[in-house]
Amino acid sequence: MSVTVENLEKSMAKLTIEVPAETFEKAMQQAYMKQRGSISIPGFRKGKVPQAMIEKMYGPAVFYEEAANAVIPDAYAAAAKESELDITSSPEIDVTQIEKGKSFIFTALVAVRPEVKLGVYKGVEIPKIDVTVTDEDVEEELKKEQNKNGRLVTIDDGEAEDGDTVTLDYAGTVDGVAFEGGTAEGYDLKLGSNTFIPGFEEQLIGVKAGDQRDVKVTFPEEYHAEDLAGKEAVFACNIIKVSRTELPELDDEFAQDVSEFDTLEEYKEDLKKNIQSRKEEAAKQERRDNAVSRAAQAAEIEIPEAMMKTRLREAVDNFGRRLTMQGMNLEQFMQYTGSDMNMMMEQLRPQTEIQTRNELVLSEIVKAENIEVSDEEFEKELEEMAKAYGMELDKVKEIVSDEEKKVISNDIAMRKAIDLIADNAVEVEGLADEKASE
């Protein structure tokens, strides 16, 4: 096999790959073995027709597609490695010569890592983040804990108010006809939660246990069920009961119930410390994000579209994997939201572009600063992995491949580059407001 490389504009390259005729002939023979059982020629038993006879009857092209599909993956992988290009996209394959007895030639159009011209990355200015914990912050946290410890109490005669929970049976119809998913019994609906169709919950304000009420609503135009979108519906509601959350008093007894402290003041002081810790940790991450963002904005990069398409497909795949963990697959999600692959890729494009730009800049900083990963740092990373997966360190070392080791080392180096940028960043009071007004 031979490969020639042509560097093109905008960080693109074309590999011309020539596979020897003998190799392609073997692929043709394999294609024949795979397909012969489905080819019939009078005078021969099925599956026993010689390859030469099939090629004479139908032409050798009958095996070309199967043979090409068998040859291209390995040939491209070998050519990509031989070229030593830093390829950042899936290849766009084009067959330029396919003929029995001749070498098989195809091209692979790929994106390569674009040139990155670094701007300022040491001493970038970032907004100063206020981590002061106010009395309001503490009261808000205290309120959350109070709500968590509230209990629902049935209101016998009172009318339902916003925030109350109404237990009801309902049956929905459109033009007098019931529809799928429009009926329920003993459903607990918290008024003001906005979990139902807009306008539904508001019409239950004032109901009492035993009331019957028709709720009239219009389904949103973008409703996921197309047969209901934009249509008017009537829900016949039977109110079973109305419940209201009864909150505990915020006193020393409450503090003793929900914490290890004897007094409310001690508990509030502990809440303040916890809020302070969370704010500082969040601010630390935000500073790092802001510093990387400023460094990336200062750099000059033109990301090839082929690279972006590959990154976007990866982003959709990652999103699909997260959906699977939640019990839904990508196809179901697209059907539910009325989207398709192209729409999803466009929705993910802004964030994916930012992530890709940041990664390219960090990678360039690693090279510019000669950032290296020590054996101790690599060992520590493996220890963290072992701890996270509940495995022995020796077992982790055993299963991590050489390629994965490169990825791990690269991740460590990138984090060190982030540390370098963040540690040298300059916090400026009011910078966010200044940037917003520019």
Side-chain angles (χ1 to χ4, degrees), residues 49-110:
V49 186
Q51 182 178 347
M53 181 60 71
I54 296 173
E55 292 181 0
K56 184 176 180 180
M57 289 286 293
Y58 300 105
V62 70
F63 299 123
Y64 283 173
E65 183 177 356
E66 186 82 34
N69 288 339
V71 166
I72 287 172
D74 289 343
Y76 168 72
K81 185 175 181 179
E82 183 180 328
S83 72
E84 297 184 344
L85 293 174
D86 193 349
I87 296 173
T88 61
S89 74
S90 301
E92 185 179 318
I93 303 295
D94 183 32
V95 175
T96 59
Q97 178 172 294
I98 183 168
E99 188 175 341
K100 187 176 176 62
K102 293 186 178 181
S103 57
F104 173 60
I105 304 174
F106 68 98
T107 61
L109 184 65
V110 296

